[in-house]
Amino acid sequence: MKKLTHVLALALVATLVASCGGNKQPANSMTFRQLGNTDLQVSEISIGCSAFGKMDTAQSRAFMDIAIDSGVNYIDIYDASPVVRDNIGYALQGRRDKMIIQGHIGCWWNGESYERTRDVEQCKKGFEDLLARLGTDHIEVGMIHIVDNPDEWDTLVSSPYIEYVKQLKAEGKIQHIGLSSHNAEAALKAAKSGLVEVIMFSLNPAFDRLSSDVSAWDPEADKKMLPGIDPVRVELYDYCAQHGIAITAMKAFGSGGGMLLDAKRSPLHIALTVNQCLAYALAKPCVATAVCGANTNEELLADLAYLHATEADKDYNAALSTQPQSATSGDCTYCNHCAPCPQGIQIAAVNELLDKALAAQNDGKPVPADVQAAYDKLEHHASECVDCGACVGRCPFQVDVPARMKLAASTFGK
């Protein structure tokens, strides 16, 4: 259900494809930015890894062709799935030098699903697997994987896990240390530590106005949006800009597969465009690149249309100037950070299919047959949820997973 209001952008894509043939963009006009205090120059538009779990090797190569031909030279790889990593490795064969890799340390494949870990042996296996499947002996940016609690950062600083990350840098297996986070307080602590050079951070007009006091551990917290940007986020952005710490912006289109692009789902109650969302993220002086989670060639081309957009197309100020306060947490981004489920439920997959079904129902239509069929093929279904809560504490976006599973069970019939 990614980016429901890509319609206008896709119209431009159709024109570009027709005029250039196939999936080729015209001569690219990519802008490159310095990655903080590093010596790396990165494309302002970059890609994530989610598409590579939904494609075969040939499709992955074609997807990477579009990215590289358009000037994209930066990719984030958080997923430990062998399929994802193998496909990216294949797509980069013979052109590893064309892509700067931001890889995560502390994500591994437990045999069935991706899992976050701080166990050093698991981290080693996960990282060595990443290098092997990508066919490389190093990555440029090694990310401390997901720190969403300020207290966790305090615990990690002197942990064996951080020592392992430092060891990787000393050995040249990573060139720079980064961190991924959805929490401004945790990210700010990491920035001030002097350890990290890059922070992957969720950044968009809705998240910026969500109070940093709202957390997954406090369901009664006030979830209304602030009239302006949360002060902790302001401090984070200013500190990073002043000290040369690069932010690689994720979730530019919001959670829930692009909620800011859909007026019905957006906490802003309007549909922003792809160009406006990207322009908002890239306007921050600390931001080096916006990581776009495109899942198809068409979505990638729609994101890349930003390169040819006019300043009027990118203008987000008028759209945001009249927005009321509203809630923004609780939407699934299909990121799999909630995994693993003790019952084996693929929570992200269930939620993605549920959102597609609900979108159809909101338009007065039945659940699409292909969506129902995809759900039926899942090995485990939402009705198997036992409400253990294991997933809830791991979710960065305060999703009420048990409630979503109940809704999915009633929507799909099992």
Side-chain angles (χ1 to χ4, degrees):
M1 174 156 144
K2 170 98 166 30
K3 305 176 191 175
L4 294 178
T5 58
H6 264 184
V7 177
L8 293 178
L10 287 174
L12 175 58
V13 169
T15 302
L16 292 172
V17 172
S19 63
C20 303
N23 285 322
K24 297 292 184 180
Q25 282 270 71
N28 78 71
S29 55
M30 183 68 74
T31 297
F32 293 85
R33 302 181 176 198
Q34 186 171 345
L35 189 69
N37 286 333
T38 77
D39 59 357
L40 298 173
Q41 295 289 319
V42 302
S43 54
E44 64 179 359
I45 302 297
S46 53
I47 57 175
C49 63
S50 59
F52 297 95
K54 303 173 183 180
M55 299 177 174
D56 60 27
T57 53
Q59 292 169 329
S60 296
R61 184 82 180 188
F63 184 90
M64 190 68 77
D65 286 343
I66 296 172
I68 291 176
D69 289 349
S70 300
V72 173
N73 75 343
Y74 200 85
I75 184 173
D76 173 74
I77 308 173
Y78 78 85
D79 199 331
S81 163
V83 172
V84 169
R85 292 177 170 184
D86 283 345
N87 280 342
I88 295 174
Y90 180 82
L92 288 177
Q93 279 184 11
R95 50 184 179 180
R96 166 67 179 87
D97 62 325
K98 300 292 186 183
M99 195 62 64
I100 295 168
I101 297 174
Q102 175 179 282
H104 293 233
I105 304 159
C107 50
W108 77 303
W109 190 253
N110 63 14
E112 296 182 355
S113 63
Y114 146 82
E115 186 174 336
R116 187 184 79 146
T117 182
R118 303 300 186 203
D119 180 274
V120 174
E121 288 306 310
Q122 292 177 346
C123 289
K124 288 181 179 179
K125 290 179 181 178
F127 186 74
E128 290 168 2
D129 177 79
L130 175 67
L131 296 184
R133 293 183 186 278
L134 295 184
T136 188
D137 61 359
H138 76 284
I139 60 173
E140 285 75 13
V141 184
M143 304 298 283
I144 297 167
H145 186 52
I146 308 179
V147 180
D148 282 345
N149 186 325
D151 293 336
E152 182 186 10
W153 173 255
D154 294 336
T155 302
L156 285 179
V157 168
S158 58
S159 69
Y161 168 79
I162 292 295
E163 291 306 311
Y164 172 62
V165 173
K166 292 179 180 178
Q167 176 188 332
L168 290 176
K169 184 177 181 182
E171 294 173 350
K173 293 182 178 179
I174 63 174
Q175 295 177 351
H176 305 281
I177 296 175
L179 169 138
S180 63
S181 179
H182 309 85
N183 180 280
E185 292 183 12
L188 183 58
K189 276 194 172 185
K192 291 182 175 181
S193 72
L195 176 65
V196 303
E197 301 169 82
V198 179
I199 296 176
M200 187 181 189
F201 189 67
S202 51
L203 195 163
N204 62 58
F207 288 174
D208 269 358
R209 290 169 56 188
L210 182 65
S211 171
S212 58
D213 295 334
V214 176
S215 74
W217 302 275
D218 183 8
E220 300 303 318
D222 177 14
K223 295 182 179 180
K224 289 188 175 181
M225 294 176 69
L226 302 170
I229 300 178
D230 170 53
V232 180
R233 284 178 169 254
V234 172
E235 184 179 359
L236 171 65
Y237 301 153
D238 286 348
Y239 186 90
C240 288
Q242 292 168 11
H243 293 82
I245 300 170
I247 286 184
T248 56
M250 58 175 165
K251 312 299 182 193
F253 309 119
S255 59
M259 67 178 183
L260 296 185
L261 305 176
D262 180 7
K264 292 181 179 178
R265 300 170 57 233
S266 173
L268 302 177
H269 304 296
I270 60 167
L272 293 176
T273 67
V274 171
N275 290 331
Q276 288 170 332
C277 290
L278 291 175
Y280 181 91
L282 292 168
K284 300 286 190 294
C286 54
V287 171
T289 185
V291 182
C292 299
N295 288 307
T296 65
N297 293 359
E298 291 73 23
E299 287 184 0
L300 176 57
L301 284 166
D303 294 338
L304 291 168
Y306 174 85
L307 302 178
H308 311 281
T310 66
E311 290 306 310
D313 290 335
K314 299 176 184 178
D315 183 18
Y316 53 82
N317 287 309
L320 296 178
S321 63
T322 60
Q323 295 316 302
Q325 298 181 11
S326 179
T328 186
S329 58
D331 291 292
C332 179
T333 71
Y334 327 132
C335 65
N336 277 313
H337 295 335
C338 58
C341 169
Q343 301 302 113
I345 302 170
Q346 296 180 46
I347 297 170
V350 170
N351 276 329
E352 184 170 9
L353 292 170
L354 176 60
D355 281 340
K356 291 179 179 179
L358 294 177
Q361 291 179 339
N362 287 340
D363 290 334
K365 301 175 183 178
V367 175
D370 61 333
V371 174
Q372 182 69 54
Y375 181 84
D376 292 341
K377 288 180 181 179
L378 295 175
E379 184 177 357
H380 297 279
H381 297 100
S383 59
E384 298 174 49
C385 174
V386 296
D387 199 3
C388 67
C391 53
V392 176
R394 293 191 289 264
C395 177
F397 299 105
Q398 299 87 52
V399 176
D400 187 344
V401 178
R404 293 275 296 176
M405 293 303 101
K406 291 177 183 178
L407 180 57
S410 63
T411 300
F412 293 110
K414 59 181 175 179

